[in-house]
Amino acid sequence: VPLTDLLFLTSGGEYRAQAGEGLVITPTTLSVSPQSYYGSTAVRPIVAGDVALFVSAGEFVRDLSFQINNNKFIGRDITVLARHLFDLRRIIDWDYAPAPSALAFSVMNDGDGLFLTYQPDQDVYAWTRATTKGAYKSTCSVREGEFDVIYVIVERTIDGNTVSFI
């Protein structure tokens, strides 16, 4: 994840890569230091402003942001107030649409969706459920003029045929 530094998210922990004095990464100037040991799942991390959001083991969504007083990236659990929405389910795809509403949309393995309102500068993070007639399969955010629009692929059965809709 490219933030102010390059972050590597692995199943065993989160690592920060920095260049040496010349700000150029070479085999001799690369410095890698652990930031935390939550571990990341195979779900790709997303960038929300200057923060990385990632899914750790147990379906905890964490926001990884730089804390100047600790001189490291810290990941706090932003699912703590909505753990019931993650019971026996997992995120299979997600994306973030910053403008105008600062929303992330997560596709769950059971076909439901979850919206996350995420405004870290206001300390706002709130989850809500999204359902449809059919099953959410994938999502992405696309910039359209001044707005970021969330698109989803929904799979439905019509007259015995499985059909995908955008």
Side-chain angles (χ1 to χ4, degrees):
V1 179
L3 292 177
T4 52
D5 294 313
L6 188 59
L7 302 177
F8 294 102
L9 306 180
T10 71
S11 61
E14 297 72 48
Y15 300 87
R16 176 184 182 188
Q18 294 177 290
E21 296 177 21
L23 298 178
V24 176
I25 293 179
T26 69
T28 58
T29 64
L30 181 63
S31 170
V32 177
S33 58
Q35 302 298 293
S36 60
Y37 294 100
Y38 297 113
S40 179
T41 65
V43 176
R44 68 176 169 78
I46 54 179
V47 175
D50 58 355
V51 175
L53 299 174
F54 72 100
V55 182
S56 66
E59 291 304 300
F60 293 94
V61 175
R62 298 188 179 278
D63 61 353
L64 200 56
S65 62
F66 187 74
Q67 303 293 314
I68 192 79
N69 54 338
N70 295 323
N71 193 30
K72 66 188 275 186
F73 286 84
I74 305 290
R76 66 182 177 158
D77 175 14
I78 62 171
T79 58
V80 68
L81 300 176
R83 284 307 309 159
H84 62 287
L85 296 176
F86 296 88
D87 289 343
L88 305 174
R89 303 180 337 148
R90 59 182 170 55
I91 296 173
I92 59 171
D93 193 19
W94 65 341
D95 209 350
Y96 180 70
S101 301
L103 290 175
F105 186 78
S106 301
V107 176
M108 306 303 287
N109 66 321
D110 63 359
D112 278 350
L114 295 178
F115 279 104
L116 165 64
T117 302
Y118 183 73
Q119 298 174 340
D121 53 326
Q122 301 296 320
D123 205 25
V124 171
Y125 51 99
W127 295 89
T128 189
R129 204 170 192 176
T131 58
T132 187
K133 292 185 179 183
Y136 293 109
K137 292 295 181 181
S138 186
T139 187
C140 72
S141 173
V142 177
R143 172 71 46 105
E144 294 182 0
E146 299 291 315
F147 300 98
D148 295 301
V149 180
I150 295 173
Y151 284 91
V152 294
I153 293 179
V154 174
E155 196 173 83
R156 296 186 173 122
T157 302
I158 300 176
D159 297 328
N161 298 315
T162 301
V163 183
S164 295
F165 293 90
I166 296 177

